[in-house]
Amino acid sequence: MRQEKMKSIIGSSIWGLLFFVLLLVGGASAQTNLSPGQIKFVRQGVRRFIFDDNQKILLAGLYPAEIIGMSAMYPTTFYSGFHPDIQVKNNQLLVMSGEESKTSFWFGGFNPFATYTIDLELCRGQGEMGFEFSNPTKTEQFFVTLRYNDQQILDATQKYVKDSREIISGTILTNSNGLNNIEGKIILQMLGSGFALFIQNDGLPVPVAQSDFAQFVDLRKKQYMQSFQSNLYLAISSGSVCVNQVESALNSGMGLADIRAITYEDGEPLLDQGRLWYTMSIRGRALPHHIQGVFSLNPTVFDLRFEGVILFDRGDDMLRNEVASHIFYDRNEKCWRGLTTGFSAYANPDEKKQLLAIESKTDPRFGFSVMRATPFGMVGDFEDPHVLYDSDVQKWRMLACENRNGYKAIMLESDDWNKNYQRIAGPVRNNSTGTSVQRVGDKRYCFSGSQDRKIYIYSYPDLRESGSLSMDLPPWDETSGTRVWPNVVQLPEAYPFRFVALMMDRFNYPELKGPNWTYGALYLYRGFE
């Protein structure tokens, strides 16, 4: 009797254990078989950073409240026989001149990709103010200034002087309608081979001037960063100028785009310090003005943080502002690597757009970083590369876009991460942008934005069309473009949701002239099964 009862208990336990195992296997199988089209992405928040003081990395500044020993801290150069009266009063720099005077106040080194800001309290009378970038001997100078009368902006000018000879000089004013008085902030967004100049009183900064100057002087050359210095320039005919402070900083600009998660070599997202890490294009006016930014995010909240910028060195004494990069940390080689798109070629008619292999032994995510860049034969209209090592086939694979009557996704592979890629799939039939590869469950999928108001899903690696992403409140409406970057990321199981997507819209910044790729705002989505 006791033996029969024991057999019954054992039998029940075995069946119970088998049932539990089947539940686990079924759950794992459900997760394994989950397709991206079954995920519901729900919008959580939206932000647009517009020269945001909370999203900047300070380089230098002139702070009147800190001045003890003006002559040493902020050396002054007088370009006129008459010297103005200079005072530090009420934590402000006050410059008064009864006659014509021209004065420069040193405040920091020079970076051709920084944003320079004058926080102006007031100005009276007539004159000119702005920035002078020059070498210590003043034999080479680049000026960007606003001319005013009774606080009203009259003109914006640039001037490049070398060995006492004016190479360029003239107006760069682009917005003469309804200009506010010259007060508030004067914002100069330097963009390597060009710039945009803004005035901010109340509300959004208003673009008032712009220039492309690489044909006259290419400030991306290392010699300028190594020798030029930044100065507050005041040319007062008569009157006074009162300045709260002057700063130079790496800045998140007026729009962000081309969002891609930084990964490991196998394509898994880099989750470091509890944060996801992204490369994004800090927008200038057009091409080739954008700058490669790095941002981080705690995926459980919306605390996006600007971490740094990356420039690229091809070994020719110039730093280039390539964008649309994919960066990964190669754990086997203990090295940061990736691919980027050579958009800086648009600054020089003799250069060709191409993909570049990039590498750095030091962590490029923070502050101001430079990665070595090397061409590897993919010359032409290629964009948005995403690369990973597939250990199943022991190949490096790249998903990218190629312009064939519009950009279309293609898949390539190679034995090496940085050369000899051969096409194995594509082009797809749909317009493509922001191509990326990510896992959903334990399978890889390819994602692409499009002009079709859809985010397409493709199988990996053969690029068979597999549906589209399900989203509430997508980052577009009837008035805007839809070629966004999907940027889907799968999180570890410990998180309260398994998927997150950070996307941008394509609303350009208003009132800029000419070609304009200054989108966009950032949209955070969480994905639920």
Side-chain angles (χ1 to χ4, degrees):
M1 186 75 174
R2 182 179 295 176
Q3 288 178 345
E4 291 177 1
K5 187 175 182 180
M6 185 63 70
K7 288 179 181 179
S8 176
I9 292 172
I10 292 173
S12 299
S13 300
I14 291 172
W15 281 112
L17 180 60
L18 285 172
F19 180 71
F20 181 66
V21 169
L22 287 171
L23 281 176
L24 288 178
V25 171
S29 177
Q31 175 66 24
T32 298
N33 295 327
L34 179 68
S35 72
Q38 295 173 299
I39 304 168
K40 177 66 174 177
F41 282 92
V42 180
R43 192 202 286 188
Q44 303 297 310
V46 62
R47 296 289 310 275
R48 182 153 185 165
F49 300 118
I50 302 172
F51 300 113
D52 193 318
D53 280 340
N54 295 318
Q55 298 288 341
K56 69 180 181 183
I57 300 171
L58 188 64
L59 296 175
L62 190 161
Y63 304 105
E66 301 175 356
I67 295 176
I68 298 176
M70 176 81 176
S71 59
M73 292 180 69
Y74 303 108
T76 304
T77 301
F78 299 101
Y79 294 116
S80 57
F82 183 82
H83 292 191
D85 180 21
I86 301 170
Q87 300 179 20
V88 176
K89 190 174 182 180
N90 298 324
N91 295 331
Q92 296 166 327
L93 176 66
L94 179 62
V95 182
M96 298 173 289
S97 186
E99 300 181 24
E100 185 171 326
S101 65
K102 297 180 180 180
T103 313
S104 275
F105 300 87
W106 178 95
F107 68 87
F110 174 68
N111 188 312
F113 305 98
T115 295
Y116 297 82
T117 304
I118 301 170
D119 186 346
L120 182 65
E121 179 65 22
L122 59 86
C123 71
R124 297 286 185 266
Q126 301 178 41
E128 194 174 354
M129 75 170 66
F131 299 95
E132 174 199 346
F133 306 111
S134 58
N135 60 11
T137 59
K138 306 295 184 179
T139 56
E140 195 170 5
Q141 300 164 292
F142 189 82
F143 296 88
V144 181
T145 59
L146 288 170
R147 186 162 58 86
Y148 62 90
N149 184 19
D150 292 331
Q151 296 185 290
Q152 184 68 35
I153 296 173
L154 301 179
D155 201 1
T157 63
Q158 68 176 354
K159 183 169 65 174
Y160 172 55
V161 180
K162 187 172 183 180
D163 297 327
S164 301
R165 185 169 66 93
E166 288 189 2
I167 308 299
I168 55 171
S169 180
T171 183
I172 51 173
L173 191 69
T174 56
N175 185 356
S176 58
N177 297 322
L179 288 179
N180 292 326
N181 290 340
I182 185 167
E183 60 183 359
K185 290 182 178 180
I186 301 171
I187 302 171
L188 174 63
Q189 186 187 25
M190 292 294 289
L191 302 162
S193 57
F195 63 75
L197 186 66
F198 300 78
I199 291 286
Q200 184 175 22
N201 296 333
D202 297 322
L204 292 174
V206 177
V208 296
Q210 62 191 49
S211 174
D212 293 302
F213 49 77
Q215 60 181 317
F216 303 105
V217 55
D218 199 332
L219 297 179
R220 299 174 302 168
K221 291 181 179 179
K222 293 180 184 178
Q223 69 186 69
Y224 292 106
M225 189 176 295
Q226 294 167 359
S227 64
F228 262 32
Q229 297 170 342
S230 301
N231 304 267
L232 167 66
Y233 178 75
L234 301 177
I236 303 175
S237 298
S238 63
S240 61
V241 173
C242 185
V243 173
N244 294 316
Q245 65 180 36
V246 184
E247 283 189 337
S248 62
L250 304 177
N251 193 284
S252 58
M254 87 293 274
L256 295 167
D258 306 342
I259 308 162
R260 190 187 296 289
I262 296 176
T263 67
Y264 292 107
E265 76 286 343
D266 61 357
E268 295 303 303
L270 179 70
L271 191 56
D272 180 33
Q273 304 170 41
R275 305 180 71 80
L276 292 170
W277 297 78
Y278 299 92
T279 51
M280 302 186 201
S281 298
I282 297 170
R283 289 317 212 187
R285 293 194 331 272
L287 297 172
H289 301 136
H290 311 317
I291 300 168
Q292 186 62 79
V294 180
F295 293 76
S296 69
L297 173 74
N298 180 333
T300 66
V301 292
F302 198 7
D303 66 341
L304 201 73
R305 190 164 70 205
F306 177 41
E307 302 284 0
V309 302
I310 302 173
L311 278 299
F312 301 92
D313 186 353
R314 295 192 203 174
D316 59 356
D317 294 321
M318 183 181 293
L319 297 181
R320 287 178 169 83
N321 45 320
E322 320 296 10
V323 291
S325 308
H326 174 216
I327 294 174
F328 64 88
Y329 182 66
D330 191 328
R331 290 167 291 190
N332 300 311
E333 300 298 327
K334 295 181 172 52
C335 185
W336 297 86
R337 290 173 165 168
L339 302 176
T340 192
T341 310
F343 286 112
S344 70
Y346 288 91
N348 186 338
D350 296 327
E351 292 186 7
K352 295 181 178 180
K353 178 183 175 184
Q354 59 186 304
L355 299 186
L356 302 162
I358 55 178
E359 190 170 21
S360 175
K361 292 293 185 183
T362 59
D363 191 337
R365 291 177 293 166
F366 303 100
F368 182 81
S369 298
V370 177
M371 297 186 75
R372 186 178 67 205
T374 306
F376 62 100
M378 288 194 67
V379 180
D381 206 354
F382 299 95
E383 295 186 1
D384 308 353
H386 187 121
V387 63
L388 59 87
Y389 183 72
D390 190 330
S391 58
D392 291 339
V393 294
Q394 298 184 19
K395 297 281 188 181
W396 290 90
R397 282 182 168 158
M398 182 207 310
L399 181 65
C401 300
E402 182 181 10
N403 192 350
R404 294 191 170 196
N405 298 316
Y407 290 98
K408 308 290 178 61
I410 57 173
M411 181 70 72
L412 308 97
E413 73 175 15
S414 173
D415 293 327
D416 304 289
W417 73 274
N418 60 348
K419 59 184 178 182
N420 299 328
Y421 279 93
Q422 303 295 319
R423 186 192 314 267
I424 61 170
V428 300
R429 68 182 182 89
N430 303 305
N431 174 265
S432 308
T433 190
T435 44
S436 63
V437 183
Q438 282 293 345
R439 286 190 186 274
V440 173
D442 64 355
K443 289 181 62 177
R444 290 188 177 102
Y445 291 87
C446 302
F447 298 89
S448 169
S450 74
Q451 64 186 13
D452 304 329
R453 300 187 177 276
K454 289 183 180 180
I455 291 175
Y456 285 106
I457 305 164
Y458 298 96
S459 60
Y460 169 90
D462 51 2
L463 296 181
R464 286 181 291 103
E465 192 173 328
S466 304
S468 60
L469 219 58
S470 173
M471 306 170 62
D472 79 335
L473 299 174
W476 58 71
D477 65 12
E478 294 79 8
T479 67
S480 69
T482 61
R483 296 178 63 242
V484 304
W485 287 48
N487 197 45
V488 174
V489 173
Q490 180 171 266
L491 297 171
E493 291 186 6
Y495 280 82
F497 42 88
R498 290 301 309 277
F499 302 94
V500 64
L502 187 63
M503 307 186 197
M504 85 281 184
D505 66 24
R506 292 179 66 97
F507 284 94
N508 285 321
Y509 197 84
E511 298 188 59
L512 287 162
K513 304 300 181 183
N516 186 344
W517 288 280
T518 53
Y519 46 86
L522 302 178
Y523 295 72
L524 179 65
Y525 296 84
R526 291 174 185 164
F528 301 93
E529 301 170 29

